[in-house]
């Protein structure tokens, strides 16, 4: 007698492109039920057309507590018990030094990368704790550990994601709820196009003459962390392309 597949319900924010889309496709291909949330509804509809009824699409702005509550409270019963939350929605804007950076860009990064992540977590986590089952995977960045010129607010938001993930682990001891922080390095998605406000030439130069990580590489790491036995918690995964490593510390040499 063939065993029934262990179907899980996966909630992914920022699911319309990049890491989120690749992760949604990876889990959907395994037969899991997917709640795909993003602001761009037309892209989510394409995902639903590809995988059918296993995809529940949700147009969502993760920076709005009211919209998050309304959207999650109205989930169909068959999607209501969430086994995995992938906090993927996030962005980087600009590479200007701190004294020249756009405050509007800083506000948007904080609202999305920090506020959006903790609002989603706070809404979904209580039911996981009640059921003594669940997993939260946050998409961080190596920028949360390693500073670089122009990284200012973006790196700080990802440092928050890293430390928030660690503190969730401390809070959730004894609940059987797992927490993982995925920390990618250089990855070729729409990331740089967004960072440079749609300037395709600037975005292309970031990946020129290098083999960056792909969205599918990150999706595989998310799936792997989730598929570990429930007594195994992958605290963090830091991954870079082979072509990237840590830079030497900068020194300002004063000329005499």
């Amino acid at each position: 007698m063939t065993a029934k597949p262990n179907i899980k319900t996966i909630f992914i924010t920022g699911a319309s492109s990049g890491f989120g889309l690749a992760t949604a496709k990876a889990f959907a291909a395994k037969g899991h039920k997917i709640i795909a949330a993003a602001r761009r509804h037309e892209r989510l509809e394409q995902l639903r057309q590809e995988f059918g009824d296993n995809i529940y699409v949700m147009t969502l702005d993760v920076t709005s507590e009211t919209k998050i509550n309304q959207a999650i409270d109205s989930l169909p019963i068959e999607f209501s018990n969430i086994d995995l939350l992938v906090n993927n929605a996030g962005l980087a804007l600009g590479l200007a030094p701190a004294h020249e950076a756009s405050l509007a860009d800083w506000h948007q990064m904080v609202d999305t990368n920090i506020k959006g992540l903790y609002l989603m977590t706070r809404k979904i986590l209580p039911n996981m704790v009640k059921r003594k089952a669940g997993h939260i995977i946050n998409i961080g960045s190596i920028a949360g550990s390693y500073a670089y010129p122009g990284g200012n607010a973006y790196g700080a938001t990802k440092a928050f994601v890293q430390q928030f993930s660690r503190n969730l682990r401390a809070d959730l001891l004894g609940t059987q709820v797992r927490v993982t922080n995925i920390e990618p390095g250089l990855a070729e998605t729409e990331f740089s196009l967004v960072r440079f406000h749609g300037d395709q030439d600037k975005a292309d130069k970031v990946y020129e003459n290098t083999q960056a990580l792909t969205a599918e590489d990150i999706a595989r790491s998310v799936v792997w962390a989730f598929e570990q036995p429930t007594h195994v918690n992958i605290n963090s995964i830091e991954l870079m392309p082979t072509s990237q490593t840590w830079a030497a510390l900068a020194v300002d040499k004063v000329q005499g």
Side-chain angles (χ1 to χ4, degrees):
M1 185 175 180
T2 304
K4 290 183 179 180
N6 189 14
I7 303 302
K8 300 295 186 181
T9 300
I10 318 293
F11 195 132
I12 304 168
T13 65
S16 62
S17 65
F19 301 159
L21 179 59
T23 300
K25 288 185 174 184
F27 278 118
K30 289 174 171 282
H32 295 297
K33 294 184 294 184
I34 309 299
I35 304 166
R39 291 175 299 168
R40 293 178 288 188
H41 184 77
E42 68 285 353
R43 291 198 179 189
L44 297 177
E45 283 296 336
Q46 292 172 10
L47 183 64
R48 179 160 61 182
Q49 289 174 15
E50 182 175 351
F51 290 99
D53 292 340
N54 276 4
I55 304 287
Y56 179 86
V57 300
M58 177 186 292
T59 306
L60 182 64
D61 177 1
V62 298
T63 68
S64 170
E65 182 178 1
T66 299
K67 291 178 181 177
I68 287 172
N69 290 340
Q70 290 173 344
I72 294 174
D73 289 343
S74 63
L75 281 170
I77 188 66
E78 63 270 25
F79 286 91
S80 60
N81 283 328
I82 296 160
D83 298 294
L84 169 63
L85 168 62
V86 182
N87 277 315
N88 167 72
L91 76 168
L93 292 171
L95 263 179
H99 58 287
E100 297 174 357
S102 162
L103 273 176
D105 286 352
W106 281 12
H107 291 321
Q108 190 174 348
M109 285 186 280
V110 168
D111 283 348
T112 306
N113 301 358
I114 294 179
K115 182 181 176 183
L117 183 141
Y118 74 63
L119 287 175
M120 288 296 304
T121 301
R122 184 60 182 84
K123 180 62 178 176
I124 289 173
L125 189 56
N127 192 43
M128 289 183 173
V129 172
K130 180 181 178 181
R131 291 162 48 222
K132 283 191 170 291
H135 196 162
I136 294 174
I137 296 183
N138 296 322
I139 304 300
S141 168
I142 63 168
S145 298
Y146 313 112
Y148 60 87
N152 40 69
Y154 174 71
T157 65
K158 291 304 183 178
F160 170 89
V161 174
Q162 181 186 82
Q163 195 62 21
F164 186 64
S165 301
R166 292 171 175 172
N167 280 289
L168 281 177
R169 285 279 291 131
D171 285 346
L172 294 171
L173 181 65
T175 68
Q176 307 307 310
V177 177
R178 300 185 292 170
V179 182
T180 302
N181 189 34
I182 308 288
E183 304 169 21
L186 182 69
E188 188 168 1
T189 63
E190 292 182 1
F191 177 88
S192 289
L193 187 63
V194 173
R195 163 165 264 172
F196 295 120
H197 298 281
D199 189 323
Q200 189 68 60
D201 289 339
K202 280 188 177 181
D204 289 343
K205 284 184 176 7
V206 174
Y207 309 108
E208 199 171 65
N209 300 323
T210 187
Q211 186 172 1
L213 297 173
T214 67
E216 289 71 26
D217 293 330
I218 309 309
R220 279 192 295 272
S221 71
V222 173
V223 172
W224 179 80
F226 181 65
E227 289 184 341
Q228 296 309 299
T230 55
H231 72 281
V232 176
N233 189 94
I234 306 301
N235 295 331
S236 62
I237 300 175
E238 179 184 289
L239 62 164
M240 298 180 185
T242 306
S243 58
Q244 182 184 39
T245 188
W246 306 279
L249 294 176
V251 176
D252 179 21
K253 294 188 175 181
V254 179
Q255 302 298 314

